[in-house]
Amino acid sequence: FKWMYDRLLGQEDHYFHLADLEAYIETQRAVGEQFTDLREWAHKAVLNVAHMGKFSSDRTIRQYASEIWDLEPV
């Protein structure tokens, strides 16, 4: 795929910033294929949300203030 990187850039990528482009393209292909089965896609979406951890920016800031910055609320 190096030729693709070079072609996309119009020049060589001396730092090879696109080293993961092949994996990205393959993942996008797989996701596009999976999306065609809307019932399965919905099932995966529900499981993804169900497995998310609890997040609250207020709780996170309060925890940082207490445990990391050693600050008391005012």
Side-chain angles (χ1 to χ4, degrees), residues 4-19:
M4 187 183 298
Y5 307 130
D6 295 343
R7 184 171 179 196
L8 287 171
L9 294 173
Q11 60 187 358
E12 282 200 37
D13 181 3
H14 299 288
Y15 301 103
F16 210 53
H17 290 132
L18 300 174

Side-chain angles (χ1 to χ4, degrees), residues 59-74:
R59 181 196 57 80
T60 302
I61 292 169
R62 199 169 19 261
Q63 185 179 1
Y64 266 65
S66 170
E67 297 176 13
I68 296 172
W69 301 320
D70 197 29
L71 300 173
E72 294 291 325
V74 290

Side-chain angles (χ1 to χ4, degrees), residues 24-37 41:
Y24 175 82
I25 290 169
E26 175 55 30
T27 299
Q28 289 301 309
R29 186 205 58 73
V31 168
E33 189 176 294
Q34 293 171 15
F35 189 70
T36 61
D37 183 349
W41 185 265

Side-chain angles (χ1 to χ4, degrees), residues 42-70:
H43 178 76
K44 289 179 180 187
V46 169
L47 288 178
N48 189 36
V49 171
H51 288 102
M52 285 178 30
K54 178 182 171 186
F55 178 79
S56 162
S57 57
D58 290 342
R59 181 196 57 80
T60 302
I61 292 169
R62 199 169 19 261
Q63 185 179 1
Y64 266 65
S66 170
E67 297 176 13
I68 296 172
W69 301 320
D70 197 29

